[in-house]
């Protein structure tokens, strides 16, 4: 059944027609962090019904926001990736996430922190001025979650999963659960992490991934 539109010639109304359904933006968040299989998305979005995931993916494909591709070797099968139009939603997702962070209650042990939200936090806090001319790479590990941040001549590439090449510094955050981003940064700034690589790059990381003062 075709969804009812807002009958308005308005960019916001059109955006909501395309991505305003329940779970749609969270699917986009996951794919911004890393292309994923259908089963990956089910695992990363606990609570989403299988029929809803299938429907949302179909709607996002029809809207030209998501597309299916054959997974590169040695993987097999199909992965979902964002199109250029889908990648263009990154700024809106980051803005909404930053606004939502201000509405969160205090973190409690047991709260689930999606690794993809940490990858988005890396992008949201990336200080381009502090990273100007920098080339370095980091891998952050926390309770089974793995993130990477690669800065090449001041330009950031980040996401979930291992770094595409051997990272300059591996940072392991202790604990049995994936912590929120602010707790990861607190542990890094206080030196409460395990390192594999040059310790000086930990200070660089803390400087580059701290928001620029306004």
């Amino acid at each position: 059944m075709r969804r009812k539109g807002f009958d308005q010639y308005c960019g916001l109304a059109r955006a909501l027609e395309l991505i305003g359904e329940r779970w749609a933006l969270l699917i986009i968040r996951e794919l911004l962090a890393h292309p994923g299989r259908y089963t990956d998305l089910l695992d990363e979005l606990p609570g989403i019904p299988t029929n809803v995931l299938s429907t949302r993916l179909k709607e996002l494909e029809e809207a030209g926001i998501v597309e299916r591709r054959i997974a590169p070797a040695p993987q097999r099968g199909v992965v979902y990736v964002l199109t250029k139009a889908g990648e263009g939603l990154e700024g809106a997702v980051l803005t909404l996430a930053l606004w939502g962070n201000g509405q969160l209650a205090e973190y409690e042990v047991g709260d689930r922190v999606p690794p993809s939200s940490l990858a988005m936090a890396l992008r949201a806090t990336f200080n381009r001025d502090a990273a100007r001319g920098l080339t370095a790479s980091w891998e952050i590990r926390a309770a089974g979650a793995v993130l990477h941040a690669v800065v090449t001549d001041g330009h950031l590439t980040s996401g979930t999963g291992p770094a595409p090449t051997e990272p300059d510094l591996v940072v392991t955050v202790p604990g049995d659960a994936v912590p929120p981003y602010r707790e990861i940064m607190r542990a890094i700034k206080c030196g409460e992490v395990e390192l594999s690589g040059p310790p000086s790059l930990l200070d660089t990381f803390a400087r580059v991934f701290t928001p620029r003062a306004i």
Side-chain angles (χ1 to χ4, degrees), residues 36-47:
R37 302 170 184 270
Y38 179 86
T39 52
D40 295 332
L41 293 169
L42 274 180
D43 290 341
E44 292 157 356
L45 295 168

Side-chain angles (χ1 to χ4, degrees), residues 51-91:
N51 64 317
V52 172
L53 177 57
S54 298
T55 298
R56 293 292 170 269
L57 286 170
K58 182 178 179 181
E59 291 169 349
L60 292 170
E61 282 188 84
E62 290 175 348
I65 294 168
V66 168
E67 65 183 12
R68 285 178 282 182
R69 294 182 187 170
I70 301 299
Q75 303 178 47
R76 294 181 180 179
V78 171
V79 294
Y80 290 90
V81 301
L82 293 174
T83 63
K84 186 175 181 180
E87 291 173 350
L89 287 164
E90 180 175 315

Side-chain angles (χ1 to χ4, degrees), residues 150-204:
V150 179
V151 179
T152 306
D153 194 21
H155 298 280
L156 173 67
T157 301
S158 68
T160 55
T165 59
E166 188 69 22
D168 297 318
L169 180 67
V170 175
V171 181
T172 301
V173 182
D176 298 325
V178 180
Y181 185 74
R182 62 178 177 269
E183 179 58 26
I184 290 177
M185 293 305 295
R186 186 203 64 77
I188 286 173
K189 291 178 180 179
C190 293
E192 299 173 0
V193 292
E194 299 173 8
L195 304 179
S196 177
S200 61
L201 283 177
L202 189 66
D203 292 335
T204 303

